[in-house]
Every structure is written in C-alpha cells, then in structure tokens.
Amino acid sequence: MAETEVPQNPLIPPIPEFVIGLIAFAIVFFFLWKKLLPSINKVLEERREAIEGGIEKAEAAQQEAADVLQQYKDQLSEARHEAARLRAEAQEQGAALIAEMRAEGQRQREEIIAAGHSQIDADRKQAAATLRQDVGKLATDLAGKLVGESLEDHARQSRVIDRFLDGLEETAEAEANVNGAAR
C-alpha cells in the first residue's frame, strides 16, 4: 500500500480536517459578522460623525473668527477716524485759544501802555507843578533880594511867578522851533 499511495501534498489538508476547519471558520465568521462587525461599524460611524462635526465646528469657528476680525477692523478704522477728528478739533480749539490769548495779551498790553502814559502825564504834571512852586519860591526870594523889599504878598507872588515861567516856556518853545527848522 505504501507503494500505491500518492505522497500527500503538505499544502492540502485532509478532507475531514478541511470540513471541520470550514465549519469552525463559518461559526467564527458568523459570530464576527453578527456581534463584532456592528460594533465596529457603530464605532466607525460615531468617529465619522465626530470628524464631520469637528469639521463643521471648525468651519463655524473660522467663520466666527473672520466675523470678529472684520468687526475689530471696523472698530479700529472707526477709532482712527475718531482720533483724527479729535486731533483736528483739538488743533482748531488750540488755534482759537492762541488767538484769544494773543488778543487778550494785546488788550492788556494796550491797557498797561495807556496806564503808563496816564501815570507819566500825571507825574509830569505833578513834577511841573512842584518845579513851578520851587522855581517860583526861589525866584521870589531872589527878586526880593535884588529889589530889596519883600515880595511876600501871595497874589503878587503868583502873578510874578506865572509870568516868569510863561516867558521861560515861550523861550524854550521858540528855541525848539528854530532848532527843528534848522534840521
């Protein structure tokens, strides 16, 4: 018998083992197809939905970020325009304030000059009156010594002094006119 037997191919199993293996494979395949495959499909479906939901959320977040960026740009542009308007307004107010302060300074300067002129005129008049009295007293004393009599009469003394000073003023004015005409 050994001679008639064909040597068996190691890659081909014997038929009873093949049938048992096929039945075992069918049982395992059926178990995997009924129990494990739905669980795997369910997990894959959930994962696909999570990925699609994540993509949708990412797109929504990206759109929201773009909206917020546009709002920020709009607000920044508006703030720049407002700042430019405020700067222009401040410059106008500053220019108006400077003009007002210059006018006030000019007015105060003119008041001070007018007050100075008034004070100078008053001081000059007071000095002229004091000088007139002093010159009159000296002239009266000198005239009294020259004449040899007292000129203590007040009315006479005032008339003499006034005539003397008027003569001096006329002489000074005539000399000033002559000097002014010579130039």
Side-chain angles (χ1 to χ4, degrees):
M1 265 205 212
E3 295 175 9
T4 59
E5 273 189 45
V6 180
Q8 196 172 10
N9 188 355
L11 293 176
I12 300 175
I15 295 206
E17 282 182 24
F18 183 72
V19 171
I20 292 174
L22 192 59
I23 292 172
F25 178 74
I27 291 171
V28 170
F29 181 76
F30 181 75
F31 174 73
L32 289 176
W33 182 59
K34 281 293 187 182
K35 294 288 180 190
L36 194 57
L37 191 60
S39 297
I40 291 172
N41 283 339
K42 182 180 176 187
V43 169
L44 289 176
E45 184 64 27
E46 288 174 356
R47 196 159 184 213
R48 184 185 62 77
E49 288 175 3
I51 290 172
E52 287 178 358
I55 291 173
E56 289 174 1
K57 286 180 183 177
E59 288 174 353
Q62 189 176 13
Q63 182 62 35
E64 185 178 341
D67 292 343
V68 169
L69 179 63
Q70 186 60 40
Q71 287 176 352
Y72 171 73
K73 287 180 180 179
D74 292 343
Q75 288 175 350
L76 185 61
S77 175
E78 184 178 322
R80 284 183 180 152
H81 290 304
E82 182 68 15
R85 185 188 65 77
L86 289 175
R87 255 188 313 235
E89 187 176 306
Q91 287 175 346
E92 290 173 3
Q93 288 177 352
L97 186 62
I98 288 172
E100 182 180 317
M101 294 307 274
R102 281 185 180 160
E104 178 66 20
Q106 183 71 19
R107 185 190 62 77
Q108 288 179 355
R109 182 180 68 94
E110 290 173 3
E111 286 178 1
I112 290 171
I113 290 172
H117 286 302
S118 298
Q119 184 65 36
I120 288 172
D121 287 344
D123 289 347
R124 185 178 49 81
K125 287 179 182 177
Q126 183 181 4
T130 304
L131 183 61
R132 186 177 277 259
Q133 288 176 354
D134 290 345
V135 168
K137 178 137 174 62
L138 287 174
T140 305
D141 290 345
L142 183 62
K145 288 181 183 177
L146 288 176
V147 172
E149 70 181 65
S150 174
L151 298 174
E152 292 295 326
D153 181 17
H154 221 6
R156 187 184 317 163
Q157 186 180 28
S158 292
R159 284 193 310 269
V160 169
I161 292 172
D162 287 339
R163 271 186 281 145
F164 176 73
L165 290 177
D166 289 340
L168 281 178
E169 285 177 4
E170 288 174 7
T171 306
E173 286 177 8
E175 285 180 10
N177 287 337
V178 169
N179 289 339
R183 289 184 188 181

